[in-house]
Amino acid sequence: FFFSIVCSLFVMATALLHVEAPAKRMSLACVASGVLAGAAVVMVGLFIKDAAPATQLFAVPTTAAMTRIPMATGMQQRPSVVTYAIPDDAPPVDEAAIAEEAAEAVIEEEEEEERVNPKDLFDGQKTYYPKLADTQADKKLWYAIDATDLRLGRMATEIARILRGSNKPMYHPAMDVGDYVIVYNAEKVTVSGNKRTQKLYRRHTTGRPGSMKVETFDQLQARVPERIVEQAVKGMLPKGILGRQLFRHLKVYKGPEHPHAAQNPIEFKFEGKLAKAAEPVTRGRP
């Protein structure tokens, strides 16, 4: 103990007398102070050891001693077992009713587990996206439409809906989910107003602007009646690869005969909301 005090004093005197740098002088002084503090702690410990034994200073209180120490309010120990007093006039417990309620709860849990979530039917998808199998030719239906006395625009609108498949729940604008359409008696289609003489059809025989040919509705209907229906429907289909593919599903024929009897086409009727397509048209202005 005394040796450590002497060493610390020597280091401090050396720092004050022989060290010129302030930083080094401060560091040596700090070291000497630390040594003196350690020596003081050791000295205090020796005096305490002589005054009282270490077993009394650092003894851990036993369980019995802890029970005698009063605990703070709110932290008192609570009994692990709680007993309730049942009054004498209490009604008897209906064990059968309790068992019946438990059985009903089990049945409800089983029904809840067996119940099917509607979202699980589509593998978690909110909207059904058509698959490749939905666009195959064997999945498509064939419809036959008699164009006799049908208005051109209303008929072409419904044909375009069938070709695109927008009348189906699985419709998607980028997929070919539509059906085939057969139109016969194309020469008997009608238009309203003065469109027979005012509606013009233009074509270029050689692909150059100077060779443009112009025809009225009556003239084209007398020459190629199928082209009237084809052009009306083609203008309602998307422009691009998908539109050209859908246009190939349209079959237009002059007269009541068509070569698609083997496909068993379904006769499409313009009834209900579509009945306006079959209404008689007026010629000219009223």
Side-chain angles (χ1 to χ4, degrees), residues 162-240:
I162 298 174
L163 294 176
R164 296 204 65 186
S166 59
N167 56 343
K168 296 182 178 181
M170 67 174 66
Y171 167 70
H172 192 276
M175 300 290 288
D176 177 16
V177 294
D179 300 316
Y180 288 88
V181 178
I182 305 168
V183 180
Y184 58 94
N185 290 328
E187 74 280 0
K188 297 181 182 180
V189 69
T190 61
V191 289
S192 61
N194 298 324
K195 296 185 181 69
R196 287 188 170 273
T197 57
Q198 294 180 356
K199 186 175 178 61
L200 302 178
Y201 292 88
R202 298 173 177 85
R203 60 188 175 89
H204 298 276
T205 56
T206 61
R208 297 180 179 274
S211 59
M212 182 176 65
K213 304 295 182 182
V214 181
E215 292 179 300
T216 61
F217 179 88
D218 284 335
Q219 293 173 350
L220 185 59
Q221 190 176 35
R223 191 172 64 89
V224 188
E226 298 91 339
R227 191 170 298 174
I228 294 177
V229 179
E230 291 175 352
Q231 288 194 12
V233 175
K234 188 175 183 180
M236 300 180 183
L237 295 177
K239 310 303 182 287

Side-chain angles (χ1 to χ4, degrees), residues 1-118:
F1 169 73
F2 292 104
F3 178 74
S4 62
I5 294 176
V6 171
C7 291
S8 61
L9 293 175
F10 176 76
V11 171
M12 187 177 296
T14 304
L16 295 175
L17 298 176
H18 299 283
V19 179
E20 297 180 357
K24 293 183 179 180
R25 186 185 301 173
M26 183 63 67
S27 63
L28 290 174
C30 292
V31 171
S33 301
V35 173
L36 285 174
V41 171
V42 173
M43 184 177 64
V44 172
L46 291 176
F47 281 113
I48 293 176
K49 180 179 181 182
D50 295 338
T55 56
Q56 296 181 4
L57 293 175
F58 304 101
V60 179
T62 59
T63 306
M66 292 177 64
T67 55
R68 291 195 299 268
I69 299 174
M71 302 182 67
T73 305
M75 299 179 61
Q76 297 180 0
Q77 297 181 355
R78 297 180 179 179
S80 58
V81 179
V82 180
T83 57
Y84 298 94
I86 302 175
D88 298 336
D89 57 348
V93 178
D94 191 357
E95 298 181 356
I98 296 175
E100 185 178 356
E101 292 179 359
E104 292 178 356
V106 172
I107 293 174
E108 290 179 359
E109 291 179 359
E110 293 178 353
E111 292 178 353
E112 186 68 23
E113 293 177 356
E114 295 177 356
R115 193 172 300 161
V116 179
N117 189 355

